[in-house]
Structure formats: C-alpha cells, structure tokens
Amino acid sequence: MKQVLLTLFFLLFFATAAFAKVNINTATAPELTALPGIGQAKAEAIIKYREANGPFKSVDELNNVKGIGDKILENIKNEITVDK
C-alpha cells in the first residue's frame, strides 16, 4: 500500500510540473532548453537579453531576442510566462 501511495504521489507531482509554465524572467538555461525549439544557444541568448535589458514585460518581447522568431514564439507561447 505504501508503494502505491508513493507512486501516486510521484505521478501527481510530475503531472503538475508538466503543466507549470516557464518564467522567462527567472528561468535557467536548462529550464529554457526544455521548451520546444530552444536549444543551448537560444537559451543563452534569452538570458543575455534579459541581463542587458531587464526583465521581459511580455512574452511577445521574446521576439526581440536574436534567433527567436514568430514561429518559435507561437510554439512556446502557452508554455511561458513573465509573472513575477
């Protein structure tokens, strides 16, 4: 019984984590690379842009990052946030 409860806990934990949005104002490179279409180079570009320009005010501002175009932004828009 204990094993079943533990398994259920982990399943619920990972299911919740799968639906959590990535905050592009605080995300690390590994968190950013978990997004579809974002590799190491784009993750580093996002972080450099954020360091140079301050926090993103909207997810659409991600379009200003070199290498992030409309298609990538459209693919990840529902998976990212700028919440503080």
Side-chain angles (χ1 to χ4, degrees):
M1 182 68 171
K2 185 177 178 182
Q3 188 175 14
V4 171
L5 290 174
L6 190 59
T7 303
L8 182 60
F9 170 77
F10 280 112
L11 286 173
L12 290 172
F13 174 78
F14 288 116
T16 302
F19 294 112
K21 290 189 176 193
V22 174
N23 185 334
I24 58 175
N25 283 327
T26 59
T28 63
E31 291 170 327
L32 291 168
T33 58
L35 295 166
I38 304 295
Q40 187 64 33
K42 286 185 176 106
E44 290 173 10
I46 292 168
I47 292 169
K48 285 181 184 176
Y49 180 91
R50 181 175 73 201
E51 289 171 349
N53 299 288
F56 291 92
K57 293 170 186 66
S58 73
V59 295
D60 292 325
E61 190 179 344
L62 201 56
N63 250 348
N64 296 335
V65 177
K66 184 176 181 174
I68 308 291
D70 291 335
K71 190 170 187 167
I72 290 176
L73 182 58
E74 191 61 36
N75 286 338
I76 65 173
K77 201 171 210 173
N78 293 329
E79 298 181 41
I80 59 176
T81 186
V82 293
D83 289 342
K84 294 176 173 113

